[in-house]
Amino acid sequence: MRRGVRPIGPGLLPEVRGSLSAMRRTLPTRARGGVSSDVGRAVLDLPETNLALHAFLVHFVWEVHHFRLYSITESLSHVDCCTRAAAGDAVLVLGGYWFASAVAGRRWILRPRRTPFLAFVGVGLDLAIGIEVMSVRMLGRWSYSDSMPLVPILGIGVSPVLQWLVLPPIILGLSKRSLEGGRTSSAP
């Protein structure tokens, strides 16, 4: 046993409890609240946080269900591939959101209108198509299985194009609902 290291045993438990209690007493009350603290609530009330979380979850489900349409050249597990793809999709959602926010302000998702919505979807779709073309044609990061239908002019899969036409309204709806619920639950 190394010098100065005490073995874990029944005598150590009261000491650990005492240390935790002392730490808890020294923390400010607001810092002990976890996610329900003012800072945590403020982070969760950000449109970006809501969009990123909902985008990741919704895109992850899509990626898992459409994984069989791809042939991945990297030696990654099914879950790793879907996780990376969903994280990248969440970043694209944020890019589309920030572009639309330049036109309509950061809280536009609470009152969605046609122009910011089309900007949001258009930027996400353009970025997704660009990444798909680069990854399939230029970098060879993945290819398509025989069951993937292709968009004739672009030569890319139908699935990623549909993904960016179908999922954005769902993500916006979930985020709007979450932001509205967050605001009403914290009202006095």
Side-chain angles (χ1 to χ4, degrees):
M1 182 185 323
R2 290 188 343 222
R3 187 179 290 181
V5 176
R6 291 183 44 199
I8 296 175
L12 188 59
L13 190 56
E15 187 178 322
V16 170
R17 279 192 191 135
S19 297
L20 291 175
S21 294
M23 285 174 40
R24 190 164 169 78
R25 284 190 303 271
T26 60
L27 288 174
T29 305
R30 286 180 6 184
R32 284 188 257 144
V35 173
S36 63
S37 71
D38 292 343
V39 173
R41 173 56 48 201
V43 169
L44 289 177
D45 281 344
L46 290 173
E48 292 88 347
T49 305
N50 275 274
L51 281 168
L53 291 173
H54 290 114
F56 177 81
L57 294 173
V58 170
H59 280 281
F60 183 80
V61 170
W62 180 281
E63 298 290 350
V64 166
H65 283 65
H66 290 244
F67 187 76
R68 64 181 178 75
L69 300 173
Y70 294 89
S71 175
I72 308 299
T73 57
E74 297 178 21
S75 60
L76 296 173
S77 72
H78 180 125
V79 173
D80 287 341
C81 287
C82 293
T83 301
R84 285 183 179 193
D89 292 330
V91 171
L92 297 183
V93 164
L94 288 175
Y97 165 75
W98 286 323
F99 184 82
S101 293
V103 173
R106 286 185 61 240
R107 294 275 178 181
W108 68 267
I109 63 174
L110 294 174
R111 294 175 311 283
R113 286 182 234 117
R114 185 182 331 177
T115 302
F117 175 76
L118 291 176
F120 173 70
V121 173
V123 167
L125 183 60
D126 288 346
L127 290 171
I129 288 172
I131 289 170
E132 200 73 20
V133 167
M134 280 182 33
S135 296
V136 171
R137 290 188 190 165
M138 298 173 192
L139 302 175
R141 294 187 70 190
W142 62 80
S143 60
Y144 303 118
S145 70
D146 293 337
S147 57
M148 171 76 86
L150 298 178
V151 177
I153 297 171
L154 300 172
I156 63 171
V158 169
S159 176
V161 174
L162 283 177
Q163 180 177 2
W164 282 92
L165 296 175
V166 172
L167 299 187
I170 296 168
I171 294 164
L172 286 175
L174 290 169
S175 296
K176 178 181 181 212
R177 184 174 179 186
S178 180
L179 287 166
E180 287 173 340
R183 196 179 303 154
T184 56
S185 67
S186 64

